[in-house]
Amino acid sequence: RKIVVSCDPAGMGDDEQVIYGVVSGRVIKQDVKPQCKATETSSLILQMVRALGANHIVMDCDGMGQPIADFVHDIMPQGIVLQEVHSNGRPDDENQFQNAKAEMWFYAKEEAQAGREQIPNDEYLRQELQEMKYFINTRGKIQTESKDDLKERIGRSPGRADAWVLNVWGRRRSAVVRKNNSWDDSHE
C-alpha cells in the first residue's frame, strides 16, 4: 500500500484549503475548508498522516505552502517523507514539459485515463480537472494554462484538483507502507 497525504494550502484568502489522504489511489479522507491559519493547516496535515498511517506528505510550497511545509518538517516524526513541490520549478523531463506543474498534471491525467487512479465523485474536483487546458508552447513543450486563467473561467481556485494531482505525483515517489502506523515503530 502507498499512503500519501497531500495539501494545497489557501491561507486566509477566499480559496479553499484542500488536504487529501489517499491509500493506493483511492481518496479515503479529505479536509476541505476556507481560510485556515498555517498552524491549523500543519496540525490537520499531521492528524491525517497519523489517522491513515501515511509515510509521505506532498505539498504545494509556492506562496503560503512553504512556511507550512517548514513547520510540518520541524514537528513530523522520523520515517515520514515531506515532498515539497514548486509548480514553476524544473520538471523531471525538461525536454517535454515547461515546468513541474505541467509534468504533474499530465502524469495525473495519464494515470487516470489508464485506470490506475480513482477520481472521487466530487463535482468541483471533476470540473477543475476537466477544465485545465494544455498546449504546446513556442519552445515545443507541454504547458498548462495559468491558475489565474482557470480560476477566472470556473469562478474559483482549482485547489481540489491541485491537491489531487499533488497526491498522484507524490505516490509516484512514495515508498510502500510496511508498518501499521508511521508514528509507531513497534508495528512491523
Side-chain angles (χ1 to χ4, degrees):
R1 301 176 304 155
K2 289 190 171 193
I3 307 173
V4 175
V5 171
S6 59
C7 178
D8 182 52
M12 297 306 287
D14 56 357
D15 294 349
E16 288 181 324
Q17 169 183 278
V18 183
I19 304 171
Y20 284 135
V22 178
V23 178
S24 299
R26 201 169 117 231
V27 174
I28 301 298
K29 195 169 174 125
Q30 67 180 21
D31 190 313
V32 179
K33 62 176 56 175
Q35 299 185 345
C36 205
K37 293 180 180 175
T39 52
E40 182 182 2
T41 299
S42 301
S43 176
L44 291 169
I45 290 167
L46 292 172
Q47 287 173 29
M48 191 175 293
V49 166
R50 186 171 198 172
L52 296 176
N55 65 347
H56 197 98
I57 302 166
V58 60
M59 287 188 61
D60 173 0
C61 288
D62 294 331
M64 283 294 303
Q66 190 62 61
I68 295 169
D70 291 344
F71 187 69
V72 167
H73 183 269
D74 288 346
I75 63 173
M76 70 184 190
Q78 286 186 321
I80 296 175
V81 172
L82 174 60
Q83 181 180 350
E84 298 179 10
V85 173
H86 296 275
S87 294
N88 286 320
R90 290 174 38 178
D92 292 342
D93 184 350
E94 293 183 52
N95 294 322
Q96 188 173 3
F97 298 99
Q98 176 62 29
N99 55 26
K101 177 185 173 188
E103 188 172 32
M104 290 185 305
W105 275 75
F106 200 79
Y107 176 77
K109 177 182 175 182
E110 287 181 331
E111 291 295 292
Q113 288 175 338
R116 292 184 290 267
E117 293 295 332
Q118 287 184 338
I119 300 172
N121 191 18
D122 174 334
E123 67 180 271
Y124 292 123
L125 170 60
R126 289 177 180 264
Q127 180 191 28
E128 293 167 14
L129 290 169
Q130 291 169 348
E131 289 291 328
M132 177 58 76
K133 293 183 180 178
Y134 300 83
F135 60 94
I136 305 296
N137 66 20
T138 57
R139 291 185 224 63
K141 297 180 181 185
I142 297 171
Q143 186 172 338
T144 56
E145 70 179 314
S146 74
K147 183 180 258 189
D148 288 339
D149 288 347
L150 179 57
K151 188 175 179 177
E152 184 177 319
R153 201 169 58 257
I154 66 173
R156 66 181 182 282
S157 181
R160 295 177 192 215
D162 284 339
W164 186 82
V165 166
L166 284 166
N167 204 292
V168 172
W169 187 250
R171 280 194 318 284
R172 179 175 169 238
R173 295 184 175 169
S174 68
V176 172
V177 174
R178 300 198 187 284
K179 307 184 224 184
N180 291 335
N181 190 326
S182 300
W183 293 68
D184 181 4
D185 289 331
S186 65
H187 294 81
E188 286 290 333

